[in-house]
Amino acid sequence: MTMMNRKHAIISILTCLLLLSSLLSCAPSPSRVGYGALKKQQPTVTIAVLEKQIHILINHERRNRGLSRLALDDTLNAIARKHSRDMAKRNYFAHLSPEGRDFMFRYKQAGYSCGIRVNSTVHLGAENIALNNLYDSITTVNGIVYHEWNSQEKIAETTVEGWMKSTGHRKNILTPHWQHEGIGVFIAPDDKVYITQNFC
């Protein structure tokens, strides 16, 4: 290689390095990408308000299909809350308790009687359950843990969306003869959100 060619080669390499350096200086630092979003504060979740938001969304689904709205029932709310709390405290997620007791046992235990006659059939109630979370994901930056928190509204929306995508849960929500419902939420120490919905 001649001296002139070597000089041109060095100049070309330096030009490329300068261009690369310029491009890198314009790019965001990997450690800073999304850093502001990661630092989001945990939103406040008020259980009574979350329950009401779910109730409103349920009636929205019914109204869209020409069905009557459900009234919130204080006793059904208490039954639903108790089941959500029991699932969280004893670490299970099911309609049946570890002792094999179903929602009808819980109704009876609370002194609640449900009996809706449709032709020759008497309907004794129904139950939906859901397991949600206070956050979608966790990211660690330099050993510090950041949560992608869900808003109270998102928890309500994803709960009802999940029920509406499930054949059995959807059927309960859109059953024409139900008149009342109870919504019970319990937030576990591990940030899981247990939700029970009872019908009559």
Side-chain angles (χ1 to χ4, degrees), residues 136-190:
D136 278 337
S137 64
I138 295 175
T139 304
T140 303
V141 178
N142 294 329
I144 301 172
V145 176
Y146 297 94
H147 297 77
E148 186 184 338
W149 296 106
N150 288 320
S151 68
Q152 189 165 269
E153 291 76 14
K154 185 176 179 184
I155 294 169
E157 288 166 4
T158 54
T159 296
V160 176
E161 284 169 6
W163 280 337
M164 293 302 291
K165 289 176 183 175
S166 164
T167 304
H169 296 92
R170 179 188 176 93
K171 182 180 177 183
N172 285 338
I173 290 169
L174 301 181
T175 295
H177 52 253
W178 297 140
Q179 300 167 10
H180 301 89
E181 75 167 340
I183 304 288
V185 172
F186 187 85
I187 300 173
D190 62 358

Side-chain angles (χ1 to χ4, degrees), residues 63-76:
R63 186 175 64 248
N64 283 348
R65 292 158 182 84
L67 299 173
S68 61
R69 66 181 297 278
L70 299 175
L72 267 181
D73 185 289
D74 290 341
T75 305
L76 283 177

